[in-house]
Amino acid sequence: MSARALRERSRADLVAHLTEQYRCVLFQDPSSGECGAWQNSLPALAEVLCDAGLDEVEVLIEQKLPLTSLRADAVLAGSHPETGMPSYVIVELKQWSEARLVPDSEDLCLVPKMGNHAALHPVAQVRRYCDYLQDFTNLLNDCQESVTGVAYLHNAEDLDVDQLFGLPDAKAQLFTKTTRGELIRHLQTRLSALNGALEADALLESPIAPGRQLMRAAFDEITHGGKFLLVDEQQVAASLVKRAAAAARRADQKEVIVVSGGPGSGKSLIALNLMSHFSMHGRPVVHATGSRSFTTTLRHVVGEKNPKLPKLFRYFFDFTAAEQNGLDVLICDEAHRIRRHSGKEGTPDTFRAGRSQVEELIDAARVPVFLLDEHQVVRPGEMGSVKTIDQAAHARGCIVRHVNLNDQFRCGGSRAYENWVLRLLGLEPGGPVPWQPEKDFELLVADTPQEMETYLRSQQEAGYTARMTAGFCWRWSSPKSDGSLVDDVVIGDWRRPWNLKSERSVGGVPASSLWATESGGIGQIGCIYTAQGFEYAWNGTIFGPDLVWRDNGWRARKAASRDGSLKEAEPEEFELLARNSYKVLLTRGLAGTVLYSTDPETHAMLRALVPGRASQ
């Protein structure tokens, strides 16, 4: 809407309209904080624009950044007053009345009304939004001067936020209630008084250029200083770790950083960014996971360019005898995979080391960093959780700092899809809801597994990565004597093999840990053990008979599972692990997902919720 229309709309009407849009897109109600921001900050922006004579500038409210779930408070669209070229100003609106910098940090703030929670400096935040919009919007790729940003703290006087003016940036500037007049003059240098509807439409309709896949960029990230742009809480997490590491050698107090986030929220990007930073500065740092596939893939990718780099990627069980604080930083990625002890499962407690695995990891570094998603615990014995880490860290006298990424990236930007999956599987309250088609993510149902495969292969032929996954409900055979795979997954007349069990490629079929990232993986079915930790553009998920829909609820069938690791699980534990497993399988796709269930009643339920068909 135009700035004039925004000013003329009543606050109650504006909040009601935005609340309805929020519900339609995200399947949940906005927080009271967001409603308060709409009610107080947007009218303040509208008044500034109208006082600047920019009544016809188009204001895109809560504008979603491409391929993420991040939203800029507002994007002002119009033409440049001198060149007449399209011009866009990203606006970050803050209701802060006072703020100060975190000691020994340039880009982290403490805001009294937010308690002790570190927030990203608003100039750093809006600058990253500018860079991100240009990096992923074809219209703006070659127009470096067309996007700028402002952070407007409309409730704050200069003296109450004076420490925040020390972060210079040519592309983003900070304004307060004190400098409202300067903000007006600044906007007049970026936008003309002409109608901005055409420029707004051009931005909204511009093709989106997706970012590079994590694995293909791992080597560049580690050796050349970070090709991934961290935004918002991602940057907060990275800055907290860097600050803690800088202070660690002169302080007796040890800090543990815990970063929580769903799949695709940027946890592994943070990990690689930190690996790059500390490696370049000669600080001892190691990356560890509990996932063989993930670690093997990272070792494979970086080892092709530098045979020394794979040594930086370890497993959680490698730290049983590690020197205390021998590392400056230990980055524990996929920390939900942490087990109770590092010894082999089934080993009697009397023969185990005296410490738990999480205690071993905390002891191994001056700054242990844990990145996890608690909804990805899929095996008995895995007990990585925020609570477990907190308890172990506090017992050792450590300070614990938390960062939540759950409003960040998700499946090509579809935070709504992750919410839909969580409700579908009963991992969040509210029950399943119909899927509302959206621009950034496609959800389809296939009526046969062949239909699913045909659709995914068409996406692969179009240049996208595509994989098929399934619940572990069929036996998993070793290759035949001639090296060919056994078609273990049988659904009617359709037959396909699981991915390879071994780490040796056979006849062009990728090794087990490389199934998700190497070409040739489309012909096999991946399970939870090979899919977890990876993403690809298009994902197909087959619900097997281990989780079916009956009488308006899910029923877990342990007898239908072929997963040997779950044979000792109690029924209640099995059901939760089964739901978590399907949550992982369902959230691997960046661009879209195709669903199929072998159970007719479950399939009918999915068809009723999802309007799109793979056959269309």
Side-chain angles (χ1 to χ4, degrees):
M1 68 180 73
S2 68
R4 179 187 293 110
L6 178 59
R7 184 177 66 171
E8 293 174 350
R9 200 156 193 168
S10 73
R11 297 190 180 200
D13 181 53
L14 178 64
V15 171
H17 171 73
L18 293 174
T19 297
E20 182 59 30
Q21 293 298 309
Y22 192 99
R23 287 172 180 152
C24 290
V25 172
L26 294 177
F27 305 111
Q28 60 187 18
D29 289 329
S31 67
S32 59
E34 286 191 280
C35 292
W38 296 336
Q39 184 173 15
N40 299 317
S41 297
L42 290 175
L45 174 62
E47 291 295 334
V48 165
L49 291 170
C50 292
D51 288 351
L54 303 176
D55 307 56
E56 296 302 316
V57 164
E58 199 73 8
V59 183
L60 303 176
I61 300 171
E62 296 288 345
Q63 179 60 29
K64 188 168 170 291
L65 299 183
L67 298 181
T68 84
S69 296
L70 294 170
R71 304 187 305 275
D73 290 337
V75 176
L76 310 180
S79 56
H80 196 279
E82 295 181 4
T83 66
M85 297 296 291
S87 182
Y88 303 95
V89 180
I90 299 179
V91 182
E92 180 62 25
L93 297 164
K94 299 291 188 188
Q95 298 187 80
W96 302 352
S97 55
E98 56 180 315
R100 67 183 189 277
L101 289 178
V102 172
D104 301 320
S105 173
E106 293 182 351
D107 62 357
L108 295 178
C109 304
L110 290 176
V111 183
K113 73 174 186 178
M114 296 171 61
N116 199 33
H117 173 69
L120 189 62
H121 192 300
V123 169
Q125 180 180 5
V126 77
R127 171 55 192 259
R128 283 169 169 77
Y129 285 4
C130 293
D131 291 343
Y132 200 86
L133 188 67
Q134 286 191 291
D135 286 345
F136 291 94
T137 308
N138 286 358
L139 173 71
L140 306 173
N141 285 162
D142 299 319
C143 306
Q144 293 302 311
E145 301 303 317
S146 61
V147 181
T148 57
V150 299
Y152 183 29
L153 281 59
H154 55 89
N155 288 334
E157 302 284 355
D158 277 4
L159 288 176
D160 296 321
V161 293
D162 60 329
Q163 293 184 14
L164 273 59
F165 288 100
L167 187 64
D169 196 298
K171 203 165 193 174
Q173 297 187 41
L174 177 68
F175 298 94
T176 67
K177 180 166 61 175
T178 307
T179 53
R180 184 178 184 275
E182 294 178 27
L183 172 59
I184 288 174
R185 290 188 287 276
H186 174 75
L187 292 175
Q188 289 170 334
T189 69
R190 298 299 311 170
L191 297 161
S192 74
L194 299 177
N195 186 289
L198 289 178
E199 288 79 9
D201 289 343
L203 178 64
L204 295 173
E205 296 169 3
S206 173
I208 293 171
R212 296 173 301 168
Q213 284 190 324
L214 171 64
M215 292 306 157
R216 295 186 183 278
F219 174 74
D220 288 337
E221 177 63 26
I222 295 168
T223 58
H224 298 308
K227 306 302 184 202
F228 291 106
L229 179 67
L230 301 184
V231 291
D232 281 21
E233 296 302 292
Q234 295 172 344
Q235 184 60 42
V236 168
S239 293
L240 283 174
V241 174
K242 294 170 186 177
R243 172 184 174 274
R249 291 189 174 181
R250 64 175 184 268
D252 293 331
Q253 188 73 57
K254 185 168 179 172
E255 291 190 26
V256 175
I257 313 297
V258 182
V259 184
S260 305
S265 59
K267 299 186 298 297
S268 293
L269 302 190
I270 295 168
L272 293 181
N273 179 282
L274 292 172
M275 290 290 291
S276 168
H277 173 83
F278 291 114
S279 296
M280 285 194 303
H281 288 83
R283 305 290 294 273
V285 59
V286 166
H287 179 282
T289 79
S291 168
R292 183 183 68 177
S293 295
F294 193 60
T295 300
T296 301
T297 300
L298 282 170
R299 287 176 171 178
H300 173 77
V301 172
V302 301
E304 288 184 335
K305 302 292 182 69
N306 187 330
K308 296 180 180 180
L309 289 179
K311 298 176 183 178
L312 298 176
F313 297 93
R314 315 299 300 177
Y315 294 102
F316 292 153
F317 57 69
D318 288 333
F319 297 90
T320 301
E323 177 187 355
Q324 183 152 341
N325 295 332
L327 297 170
D328 278 11
V329 178
L330 175 59
I331 301 166
C332 301
D333 205 351
E334 300 272 299
H336 43 267
R337 301 292 306 275
I338 291 173
R339 306 190 76 87
R340 191 172 306 279
H341 295 282
S342 291
K344 183 178 179 181
E345 286 300 306
T347 302
D349 289 344
T350 54
F351 292 96
R352 294 184 185 275
R355 296 176 297 165
S356 66
Q357 190 171 82
V358 69
E359 290 171 332
E360 293 170 356
L361 297 171
I362 291 173
D363 290 347
R366 296 177 186 272
V367 182
V369 182
F370 295 90
L371 304 113
L372 72 156
D373 174 7
E374 292 180 302
H375 283 313
Q376 289 199 50
V377 173
V378 297
R379 299 166 183 81
E382 293 179 350
M383 38 80 73
S385 68
V386 173
K387 180 179 178 181
T388 299
I389 296 167
D390 281 0
Q391 289 175 340
H394 287 310
R396 276 162 157 64
C398 303
I399 294 173
V400 184
R401 305 196 188 278
H402 297 96
V403 181
N404 190 335
L405 302 177
N406 278 317
D407 291 328
Q408 299 271 335
F409 298 81
R410 177 55 255 146
C411 285
S414 183
R415 178 63 176 168
Y417 175 64
E418 187 182 358
N419 286 338
W420 184 86
V421 169
L422 291 173
R423 290 186 60 170
L424 172 73
L425 295 172
L427 297 172
E428 292 288 347
V433 292
W435 169 250
Q436 302 296 325
E438 60 170 50
K439 177 182 177 182
D440 297 314
F441 191 85
E442 193 165 5
L443 181 61
L444 306 171
V445 171
D447 285 332
T448 66
Q450 181 60 62
E451 195 174 88
M452 169 187 286
E453 182 178 7
T454 299
Y455 187 88
L456 293 175
R457 286 187 179 276
S458 72
Q459 295 298 324
Q460 179 112 334
E461 291 167 3
Y464 298 96
T465 53
R467 294 292 185 272
M468 293 180 288
T469 60
F472 200 164
C473 300
W474 293 266
R475 65 179 182 178
W476 191 357
S477 304
S478 299
K480 300 176 183 177
S481 58
D482 62 0
S484 61
L485 301 184
V486 178
D487 289 334
D488 284 320
V489 182
V490 180
I491 305 172
D493 295 332
W494 185 81
R495 299 168 175 264
R496 291 294 179 271
W498 291 111
N499 58 265
L500 269 176
K501 279 186 174 182
S502 71
E503 290 303 313
R504 294 185 60 186
S505 177
V506 175
V509 175
S512 174
S513 58
L514 303 179
W515 164 86
T517 55
E518 293 287 296
S519 61
I522 183 66
Q524 310 96 50
I525 310 298
C527 71
I528 187 64
Y529 294 102
T530 43
Q532 189 172 26
F534 297 99
E535 292 174 335
Y536 19 85
W538 274 91
N539 170 46
T541 296
I542 298 172
F543 281 82
D546 59 340
L547 191 66
V548 298
W549 185 261
R550 293 289 184 273
D551 301 323
N552 294 318
W554 290 103
R555 300 291 181 269
R557 294 173 166 177
K558 185 177 176 181
S561 175
R562 292 295 190 111
D563 190 343
S565 71
L566 302 181
K567 63 182 180 180
E568 302 299 330
E570 296 296 327
E572 184 175 340
E573 182 185 21
F574 176 82
E575 180 170 338
L576 177 59
L577 295 175
R579 294 188 194 206
N580 282 350
S581 293
Y582 277 105
K583 188 262 186 179
V584 172
L585 296 180
L586 289 167
T587 52
R588 300 303 91 197
L590 293 166
T593 293
V594 183
L595 307 177
Y596 173 77
S597 176
T598 60
D599 176 70
E601 190 170 333
T602 307
H603 193 73
M605 182 270 292
L606 295 174
R607 281 182 59 96
L609 294 177
V610 181
R613 299 290 179 265
S615 58
Q616 294 174 352

